[in-house]
């Protein structure tokens, strides 16, 4: 069974088909958040701290950390800001981190300071990216998100996206990186623009699981981009992609409706043994307005965590705020 191990300094998480769904908190990302970007540029990390603590309290298994505040000289500005952000976040929480950047220098700087075994987000099928990122993944012995686009862009043909994913897995193996350390993002398309986007990704996930035997992730809220009541679509999408084989997602854990869907899918998928996490979370719940259960702060919703672990980009775009 494919297992991808990520870790903080004190906590190890396993991403896998036989593990609870891994929720990667998306909030520490200034993309589309002008206020957060301005704060980070000024050296103000109050919102970063708030987002880190709230996401873990809400049940995030991991946290994605992005510091892409500007397109102006990112090779110079982003590495030190990402390092500072990572240091702050890993000093606050014990969950593993995902180092999220399209700037190679920033990823390498982040890998130097990150504790444990972080996830690199990401590499694409572009030759330049493959040659820049895969050697770093090998050097630091970390897993990486493989996004299924290349120099031709994002194909609307799921067979092409599968071929790109296969190419990345094969090139990674050329570098000595095992498939279990590749987490493929098959690229979820907005259902409002592409009517068969759901069916496409379900079929892709099955192929990725059965043929490449890799773990998978996505920017979950991409599916609902442009639609009203996005969280309803997202919540419906979650158990369906889990059933098709997806093992993690970059999403907002502070949305109770979506986290309910994750926890319920874990129960029904047999990865919440004896319904323990569900019972601990909801046994004392009170229905909120709209009928959704309100859960107290709980341990991470998924990912097969255990203490005492090793001390060691594109796909998360359209967040539902």
């Amino acid at each position: 069974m494919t297992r991808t191990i990520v870790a903080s300094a004190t906590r190890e998480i396993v991403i896998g088909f036989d593990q609870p769904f891994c929720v990667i908190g998306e909030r520490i990302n200034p993309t589309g958040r002008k206020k957060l970007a301005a704060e980070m540029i000024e050296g103000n990390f109050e919102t970063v701290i708030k987002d880190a603590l709230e996401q873990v309290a809400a049940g995030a298994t991991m946290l994605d950390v992005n510091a892409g505040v500007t397109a102006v000289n990112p090779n110079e500005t982003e590495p030190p800001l990402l390092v500072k952000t990572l240091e702050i976040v890993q000093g606050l929480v014990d969950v593993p981190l995902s180092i999220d950047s399209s700037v190679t220098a920033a990823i390498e700087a982040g890998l130097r300071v990150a504790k444990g075994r972080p996830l690199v987000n990401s590499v694409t099928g572009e030759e330049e990216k493959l040659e820049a990122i895969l050697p770093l993944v090998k050097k630091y012995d970390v897993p990486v998100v493989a996004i299924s686009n290349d120099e031709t862009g994002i194909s609307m043909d799921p067979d092409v996206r599968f071929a790109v994913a296969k190419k990345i897995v094969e090139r990674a193996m050329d570098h000595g990186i095992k498939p279990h350390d590749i987490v493929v993002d098959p690229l979820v398309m907005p259902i409002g623009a592409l009517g068969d986007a759901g069916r496409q990704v379900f079929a892709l996930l099955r192929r990725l699981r059965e043929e490449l035997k890799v773990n998978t992730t996505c920017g979950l809220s991409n599916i609902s981009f442009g639609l009203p009541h996005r969280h309803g679509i997202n919540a419906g999408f979650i158990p369906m992609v889990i059933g098709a084989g997806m093992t993690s997602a970059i999403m907002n854990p502070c949305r109770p409706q979506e986290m309910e869907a994750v926890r319920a899918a874990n129960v029904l998928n047999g990865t919440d043994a004896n319904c323990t996490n569900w019972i601990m979370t909801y046994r004392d719940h009170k229905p909120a307005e709209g009928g959704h259960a309100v859960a107290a702060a709980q341990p991470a919703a998924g990912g097969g965590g255990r203490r005492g672990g090793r001390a060691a980009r594109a796909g998360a775009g359209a967040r539902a705020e």
Side-chain angles (χ1 to χ4, degrees), residues 98-123:
S98 168
I99 302 173
D100 183 356
S101 180
S102 60
V103 178
T104 301
I107 288 177
E108 184 164 19
L111 285 169
R112 291 194 196 104
V113 301
K115 297 177 181 178
R117 195 170 195 252
L119 176 67
V120 169
N121 185 11
S122 57
V123 67

Side-chain angles (χ1 to χ4, degrees), residues 163-180:
V164 174
K166 184 177 181 182
K167 169 188 171 181
I168 298 172
V169 170
E170 290 173 345
R171 291 290 294 276
M173 291 178 69
D174 290 342
H175 285 268
I177 302 163
K178 302 296 185 183
H180 64 247

Side-chain angles (χ1 to χ4, degrees), residues 4-295:
T4 303
I5 295 174
V6 290
S8 65
T10 58
R11 185 174 182 180
E12 185 178 278
I13 295 294
V14 180
I15 303 172
F17 305 120
D18 61 343
Q19 299 294 312
F21 191 69
C22 180
V23 174
I24 306 172
E26 71 178 5
R27 294 289 297 169
I28 304 173
N29 188 332
T31 305
R33 300 178 69 188
K34 293 182 179 179
K35 180 176 179 290
L36 176 59
E39 288 178 357
M40 292 175 72
I41 289 171
E42 294 170 359
N44 178 354
F45 292 91
E46 290 181 7
T47 300
V48 167
I49 292 168
K50 177 175 177 288
D51 284 343
L53 295 174
E54 286 184 351
Q55 289 183 105
V56 172
T61 319
M62 297 178 58
L63 295 182
D64 190 69
V65 178
N66 181 296
V69 296
T70 177
V72 179
N73 296 324
N75 288 316
E76 296 180 9
T77 60
E78 191 168 329
L81 186 57
L82 182 58
V83 165
K84 179 66 173 176
T85 308
L86 287 166
E87 289 176 336
I88 289 172
V89 174
Q90 67 187 2
L92 285 170
V93 299
D94 70 345
V95 298
L97 303 181
S98 168
I99 302 173
D100 183 356
S101 180
S102 60
V103 178
T104 301
I107 288 177
E108 184 164 19
L111 285 169
R112 291 194 196 104
V113 301
K115 297 177 181 178
R117 195 170 195 252
L119 176 67
V120 169
N121 185 11
S122 57
V123 67
T124 68
E126 299 165 276
E127 285 299 323
E128 181 181 355
K129 288 294 183 182
L130 290 167
E131 291 304 315
I133 301 300
L134 293 181
L136 293 177
V137 170
K138 177 61 177 176
K139 176 181 177 180
Y140 288 93
D141 185 28
V142 292
V144 63
V145 173
I147 299 181
S148 304
N149 69 280
D150 58 15
E151 289 87 352
T152 64
I154 300 173
S155 175
M156 295 297 105
D157 184 341
D159 290 336
V160 172
R161 300 209 298 278
F162 178 84
V164 174
K166 184 177 181 182
K167 169 188 171 181
I168 298 172
V169 170
E170 290 173 345
R171 291 290 294 276
M173 291 178 69
D174 290 342
H175 285 268
I177 302 163
K178 302 296 185 183
H180 64 247
D181 276 334
I182 307 297
V183 181
V184 172
D185 182 345
L187 292 171
V188 171
M189 304 299 175
I191 194 75
L194 186 65
D196 65 347
R199 292 192 300 272
Q200 276 194 10
V201 76
F202 303 148
L204 256 175
L205 286 167
R206 293 185 186 101
R207 289 192 70 190
L208 289 165
R209 174 174 179 165
E210 294 167 8
E211 297 180 38
L212 298 187
K213 304 186 188 312
V214 292
N215 283 308
T216 45
T217 195
C218 71
L220 184 93
S221 60
N222 287 357
I223 192 67
S224 63
F225 183 72
L227 293 177
H229 189 48
R230 295 182 65 185
H231 309 300
I233 296 289
N234 297 345
F237 185 55
I238 287 166
M240 297 184 77
V241 290
I242 293 175
M246 186 165 278
T247 49
S248 69
I250 301 170
M251 58 182 285
N252 186 352
C254 299
R255 299 292 181 186
Q257 186 177 6
E258 296 172 28
M259 289 301 291
E260 285 173 16
V262 169
R263 293 185 178 106
N266 287 338
V267 170
L268 298 172
N269 208 30
T271 57
D272 182 0
N274 302 312
C275 308
T276 300
N277 186 269
W278 181 270
I279 292 168
M280 288 178 61
T281 304
Y282 296 115
R283 61 187 169 191
D284 297 321
H285 89 271
K286 296 179 181 179
E289 185 177 351
H292 302 304
V294 176

